[in-house]
Amino acid sequence: MAETHSEIAILGAGFSGLAMAIALRRAAPALGLPADGGGVAVFEREPRVGGTWAVNRYPGCACDVPSHLYSLAVAPKADWSRAYAAQPEILRYIEDVARQHGVGPELRLGCGVASARYDAAAGRWRLRSDHGDEHTARVLISAVGGLSRPKLPKIAGIDSFEGPVLHTARWDDAVALEGRRVAVIGTGASAIQLVPPLARVARHLDLYQRTPAWILPRHDGPIAPWVQRAMARWPLLRRLRREALRWSMDARSLAFVHMPWLMRAVELQALRHLRRQVPDLALRRALTPQYRIGCKRILVADDYYPAICQPNVTLRDGGASAIEPHGVRDHDGALHPADVVVLATGFEATKPLPEGVVFGPGERDLARHFGDCPRAYLGTAVAGFPNLFMLVGPNTGIGHSSLLLIIEAQVALVTQLLRWMHDDRLRTVAVRADAEEHYNADLQQRLQRTVWGSGCQSWYLTADGRNPTLWPGSTYGFERMTATLRRSDFTVETGRDG
Ligand code: NA7
């Protein structure tokens, strides 16, 4: 089998992997890398770039962060067509960004990494691709994203269903839904986007709800062409719009993190939205959440409630108790026929990396090391795993603003680490265990009073209620925290070869 080598290997070509590849190109001279992307290999399992935006292709898929904030600072876009961009426009944007920044030679598309093992004697990561090819790299950067592994529900009899079973993140366009009876399991962010377009084409849609979600109005709509032109002509306008969005969204972190009681005012707004859109009292009651708003991700939708009120849609409150070859049993045991089952059941958010993939020195499995509750230093470095950096690692998720702001802050931090390695000819860099410990003790302390711990079950939390996913603060706070590299928090080995 062929063996190749690069200074840096990146796992994943979604937003974070590409942002990293772009930063490496921009900093290439300072890092001793060729300017043409040489020295960097980006491994991506899918045949195209885009990450979560390439695989989530279900009807209605869109972002719930406003477009002008859901774009990279290094790749501004003036002509977003809608206040909240839909998946095809975001995917096009990602592809354009890669092209405009020349990211291409470093891409290994359709080439997943089956395993990455640290070879301490050689000071190299040894990667084996899904095709069995070997690759070595001095530094490994995981950019696999927090929501990349679909969560498949353990519903009795699910394997016995005779029709197609689709997960929202593994959509198959070949499965026809027009005129069919569709069962949708789950009522989270993906489901509320999927239900309206599905209800328009399905003969009947049964929606299995386990927990009603809090939903705010989305206020989506097209951005007028003259506004797009003005933003292109006067970049300051676009920047002002972005900053205004960022400030207003970040201000919410105060309520999420420090004053959960303030969320009551937001609950009233959501209840008003529900009252306006759902006239039927019994249905309204079934759709009224019983937990503090913000504890699970707050959803935004203008067309979800109206879709549920359509005559061909039935809300099956209480969830699905079993699946049989030709239908789904509701909470009360009644069987409802279905031709297709759609699982809108989310992701393995607290375990984004499976076991058996990344092994540090001494064959230590990173996923096992993480156990049920992953932790890292600034969500980026893990004690005991030299020359490994993570993007969108533990506690970097953000419920109230754009994850891309966090990603760019992490990319800047990793670039600083790489620059240090280059300048001081370092063989290895690893975060110190006590620095990681100290950082996480502080983090968990701050997480204690947040709305996420106010008593609901969500994908943010582990089964025992710990929070390994979210950053308890503002995007500005994360940026400040990661802006200056504290070298004393790391141990290094000098004497780099090559
Ligand atoms: P989410 O937000 O995790 O939602 C998953 C939904 O599926 C949620 O309503 C769950 O109910 C439901 N679910 C999960 N397992 C089951 C079983 N076994 N039976 C019935 N219902 C179930 O995932 P999404 O894909 O919607 O969104 C994920 C993120 O992607 C989103 O926040 C954005 O950041 C993008 P529960 O509430 O757990 O009772």
Side-chain angles (χ1 to χ4, degrees):
M1 288 285 161
E3 179 173 310
T4 48
H5 174 75
S6 63
E7 265 306 287
I8 298 163
I10 301 175
L11 307 186
F15 259 125
S16 56
L18 288 176
M20 192 72 238
I22 291 169
L24 294 177
R25 278 185 168 245
R26 287 160 73 106
L31 299 175
L33 295 170
D36 62 358
V40 178
V42 183
F43 293 88
E44 169 57 58
R45 182 169 296 132
E46 297 296 318
R48 62 197 299 182
V49 299
T52 195
W53 295 105
V55 296
N56 280 275
R57 291 178 297 101
Y58 58 84
C61 181
C63 188
D64 53 13
V65 175
S67 314
H68 281 287
L69 199 57
Y70 198 73
S71 30
L72 294 170
V74 291
K77 176 173 161 72
D79 60 349
W80 285 109
S81 70
R82 299 188 70 80
Y84 292 87
Q87 177 266 342
E89 188 173 12
I90 299 174
L91 184 57
R92 258 195 323 276
Y93 165 72
I94 298 175
E95 289 169 342
D96 288 347
V97 169
R99 221 179 354 261
Q100 281 158 13
H101 286 81
V103 177
E106 53 271 65
L107 293 176
R108 311 275 188 277
L109 299 178
C111 186
V113 168
S115 66
R117 294 189 142 77
Y118 188 69
D119 177 344
R124 294 278 192 276
W125 283 92
R126 295 193 179 281
L127 280 57
R128 175 180 277 265
S129 80
D130 288 335
H131 312 306
D133 294 328
E134 306 273 349
H135 183 89
T136 59
R138 186 187 309 278
V139 171
L140 179 66
I141 300 176
S142 166
V144 298
L147 303 177
S148 52
R149 295 177 61 213
K151 191 165 110 194
L152 303 174
K154 295 185 182 74
I155 301 176
I158 191 165
D159 295 331
S160 70
F161 188 68
E162 289 196 350
V165 179
L166 298 175
H167 188 279
T168 47
R170 296 285 180 272
W171 201 253
D172 181 354
D173 296 312
V175 175
L177 299 162
E178 286 77 13
R180 308 189 76 184
R181 292 166 304 187
V182 184
V184 175
I185 317 263
T187 50
S190 304
I192 67 155
Q193 296 181 343
L194 173 79
V195 164
L198 217 53
R200 281 195 287 277
V201 300
R203 167 143 64 104
H204 192 87
L205 193 158
D206 280 314
L207 177 58
Y208 292 86
Q209 167 183 278
R210 192 165 66 178
T211 317
W214 284 107
I215 300 175
L216 288 173
R218 185 169 169 89
H219 301 308
D220 191 13
I223 298 177
W226 70 266
V227 176
Q228 298 178 31
R229 281 197 299 275
M231 295 241 188
R233 178 139 187 218
W234 295 292
L236 182 63
L237 271 185
R238 187 192 35 74
R239 279 208 294 277
L240 285 174
R241 172 78 186 129
R242 183 176 163 96
E243 278 310 304
L245 282 169
R246 184 169 177 186
W247 270 103
S248 65
M249 297 188 84
D250 252 358
R252 297 183 201 167
S253 67
L254 267 181
F256 280 92
V257 177
H258 302 291
M259 293 176 263
W261 51 269
L262 265 181
M263 302 302 283
R264 181 68 193 140
V266 190
E267 277 177 14
L268 295 177
Q269 198 192 345
L271 288 172
R272 208 163 41 238
H273 184 48
L274 175 64
R275 247 189 339 263
R276 278 197 189 131
Q277 293 200 321
V278 181
D280 183 281
L281 270 182
L283 188 56
R284 205 190 284 166
R285 207 169 303 121
L287 288 166
T288 304
Q290 300 301 325
Y291 58 89
R292 174 58 30 103
I293 193 170
C295 188
K296 290 170 185 268
R297 190 175 171 98
I298 301 177
L299 310 184
V300 287
D302 298 330
D303 52 0
Y304 175 66
Y305 289 144
I308 297 186
C309 296
Q310 283 178 216
N312 66 329
V313 178
T314 310
L315 184 76
R316 306 274 176 212
D317 195 22
S321 61
I323 297 184
E324 299 194 357
H326 301 288
V328 179
R329 283 198 188 275
D330 65 20
H331 180 63
D332 298 321
L335 181 66
H336 306 285
D339 305 311
V340 180
V341 170
V342 175
L343 305 174
T345 46
F347 300 87
E348 300 284 356
T350 57
K351 289 186 179 170
L353 264 178
E355 286 180 14
V357 179
V358 176
F359 297 89
E363 283 285 297
R364 193 200 287 185
D365 186 323
L366 179 62
R368 277 174 174 254
H369 169 76
F370 278 158
D372 289 336
C373 193
R375 40 187 252 165
Y377 170 82
L378 295 170
T380 310
V382 184
F385 290 79
N387 296 4
L388 169 72
F389 307 122
M390 303 181 79
L391 302 173
V392 197
N395 293 103
T396 56
I398 193 126
H400 65 275
S401 186
S402 172
L403 185 63
L404 301 191
L405 297 161
I406 301 286
I407 288 175
E408 289 195 290
Q410 280 195 292
V411 163
L413 175 69
V414 173
T415 308
Q416 284 191 64
L417 282 157
L418 295 172
R419 175 126 197 213
W420 179 28
M421 288 182 79
H422 173 68
D423 289 350
D424 291 12
R425 313 289 307 148
L426 301 180
R427 188 170 187 268
T428 62
V429 168
V431 70
R432 296 162 56 117
D434 58 339
E436 185 189 275
E437 179 75 43
H438 185 257
Y439 173 77
N440 278 284
D442 183 52
L443 198 72
Q444 289 304 325
Q445 173 97 17
R446 287 164 60 192
L447 278 162
Q448 263 167 25
R449 291 190 313 269
T450 64
V451 71
W452 309 306
S454 62
C456 69
Q457 269 188 5
S458 74
W459 62 260
Y460 297 153
L461 305 180
T462 59
D464 62 359
R466 286 172 296 166
N467 187 331
T469 54
L470 291 184
W471 163 247
S474 67
T475 62
Y476 292 104
F478 190 81
E479 218 170 67
R480 252 196 327 274
M481 193 88 157
T482 47
T484 313
L485 176 63
R486 292 164 60 119
R487 292 187 174 187
S488 55
D489 285 347
F490 292 85
T491 52
V492 300
E493 283 175 341
T494 51
R496 165 175 177 162
D497 57 347

